[in-house]
Amino acid sequence: MNGPERVLAMPITMMFAADQIGVPYGRYALDHRVLVEAQLRMADQFRFDHVSAITETREAPDCGAAVQYFDDQPYAIDERNSLLEDKAALARLHPPEPSEGRFMGDRLQALELLRRRAGAERIVEGWVEGPCQAAADLRGINRLMLDFSDDPDFVRDLFEFVLDLALRFARAQIDAGAVQIGIGDPASSLIGPRLYEAFVLPFQKRLVDGIHAAGGRVRLHICGNTRRILAHVGQLGCDIVDIDSMVPLGEARKAMGTEQVLAGGIDPVRVLQRGTPDEVRAAVARCLEDAGPLYIIAGGCEIPRGTPDENLRALTASGHSR
C-alpha cells in the first residue's frame, strides 16, 4: 500500500468534513451532493489519498427501521421502536434493492459522482455495515446481546439476512465506482472472543470474500477495544484493518502478522483534537515504528469536529514527507 517514500493517509471524516464546508451534518448525511463537495474539499485541502461515502447505516432505514433525525448530529436508529423487537418479524422482512432505497440509493449516487470527480486521483471508498452492527441496528443492541445466549438460531438467521443485504449493497457500490469497501462493525467489539469466533467471524469472512469476489478491496473498521479478537480478525483476509487507539499497534502487528496492512492507532481526541502538530507528528512516528511499513495514516476512529486544521495537516504531511 505504501511506496518507499510515501505513506498513504486515509482518515475517516464525517462531521469534521461537514464543518469544513459550513453545512449542518444532517445535510451532509442525507444529501450525496453535499457529502461529495465536502469530501473533495477535505481531500484537496488536507491531501488525503481517498474520498469516502461513509455515514451512519444506510441499510437499516431502507429496511424500515425507525430513524431519529437531527439537524447537526448523526441520525440514529430508534431502539425503543426496533424493527425486529418481535423476532417473528424477520420471516416477513424482505431485503430492499439498494438502488431503490432512499438511503442506499443516495450512497450509490455519491459514489458515482466521486468516481467522476476524484476517481482518477484518489481511492474511492464505499461502506457497508458488518453483520453484528447491522443486526444490532434492526434488533436493538441490548436485545441482540441477549439473543446470543437465548436464541442463537435466530442470531444466525438474522446474520444471514444482513449478510445478503451487505453483499448486494457492496456489489452495487463497486458498480457505482467504489474501489474499496469499508465494513463498519463496531458492535462486534462488545462480545468476547468465544462469541466472536462462533457467530461473527464466519459471517465477516463471507462478507470479505464476497467483496473480493466482486472486485473490491476491503477496509475493516471495528471501533473499541479489539485486543481479545485481534488474532481472529487477522484471519479475515482484509486489505486494511483499522486499529482503534486503545489497542497498541505493536500488539495488533504481532497478532495479525507482518503481511496485514494496518491503519489508525492515533487517539482522535487526546492527540488530534487536543494535541499540537508536534504531538501529532510524534504519534505518527510511533505508529510507523510499531506497525512497520504496511501502515496507513488515520485516526483510531473518526476525526472529531473541532480538530485544528493544522493538526490534520500535520497528520497527513507526516506521510508525504517520508
Side-chain angles (χ1 to χ4, degrees), residues 217-239:
R217 296 199 294 260
V218 175
R219 174 184 189 173
L220 179 66
H221 183 88
I222 303 177
C223 309
N225 190 343
T226 57
R227 298 176 75 172
R228 295 192 298 166
I229 61 172
L230 287 172
H232 293 316
V233 171
Q235 299 170 18
L236 292 171
C238 301
D239 300 278

Side-chain angles (χ1 to χ4, degrees), residues 28-284:
Y28 176 93
L30 297 173
D31 187 335
H32 70 276
R33 295 163 296 187
V34 176
L35 182 149
V36 167
E37 289 303 322
Q39 284 293 310
L40 293 173
R41 175 81 63 85
M42 293 291 300
D44 288 342
Q45 184 171 348
F46 298 105
R47 301 179 68 190
F48 287 1
D49 293 293
H50 82 316
V51 286
S52 180
I54 179 177
T55 60
E56 295 72 46
T57 173
R58 301 299 182 103
E59 298 94 316
D62 278 341
C63 285
V67 176
Q68 295 176 304
Y69 298 100
F70 308 95
D71 177 59
D72 198 28
Q73 293 291 331
Y75 60 83
I77 300 298
D78 181 2
E79 291 208 7
R80 295 170 300 177
N81 298 292
S82 295
L83 184 65
L84 296 181
E85 180 177 2
D86 177 8
K87 289 185 290 186
L90 177 61
R92 303 187 295 271
L93 189 60
H94 298 287
E97 182 61 37
S99 61
E100 297 175 0
R102 171 192 172 190
F103 292 83
M104 289 188 287
D106 184 76
R107 179 169 291 168
L108 297 180
Q109 289 178 289
L111 290 167
E112 290 171 355
L113 192 52
L114 288 170
R115 176 184 60 183
R116 291 201 302 269
R117 297 183 60 181
E121 301 176 355
R122 292 183 168 90
I123 296 166
V124 176
E125 180 180 76
W127 207 268
V128 298
E129 300 303 308
C132 197
Q133 185 60 49
D137 289 337
L138 298 178
R139 173 68 171 152
I141 186 69
N142 293 311
R143 296 186 188 94
L144 179 66
M145 293 299 130
L146 294 174
D147 290 336
F148 282 116
S149 298
D150 296 344
D151 198 345
D153 289 339
F154 168 76
V155 173
R156 293 188 178 93
D157 289 343
L158 178 53
F159 277 17
E160 289 286 355
F161 177 91
V162 296
L163 173 65
D164 173 71
L165 180 55
L167 284 170
R168 291 193 293 110
F169 191 24
R171 294 185 195 111
Q173 291 182 65
I174 292 168
D175 290 343
V179 173
Q180 175 172 291
I181 301 294
I183 299 174
D185 210 358
S188 63
S189 70
L190 302 177
I191 62 177
R194 180 180 61 83
L195 290 177
Y196 180 87
E197 182 178 18
F199 288 92
V200 180
L201 180 66
F203 287 91
Q204 285 183 344
K205 178 62 174 170
R206 289 166 59 188
L207 181 54
V208 171
D209 290 347
I211 293 170
H212 283 157
R217 296 199 294 260
V218 175
R219 174 184 189 173
L220 179 66
H221 183 88
I222 303 177
C223 309
N225 190 343
T226 57
R227 298 176 75 172
R228 295 192 298 166
I229 61 172
L230 287 172
H232 293 316
V233 171
Q235 299 170 18
L236 292 171
C238 301
D239 300 278
I240 304 168
V241 174
D242 287 355
I243 302 298
D244 206 337
S245 55
M246 62 187 68
V247 179
L249 268 179
E251 191 173 320
R253 170 60 69 215
K254 182 177 180 181
M256 288 191 254
T258 58
E259 301 302 313
Q260 177 65 65
V261 177
L262 303 178
I266 299 172
D267 193 312
V269 175
R270 185 181 62 83
V271 175
L272 294 178
Q273 185 189 56
R274 300 177 181 172
T276 66
D278 284 344
E279 288 173 325
V280 172
R281 285 186 282 267
V284 174

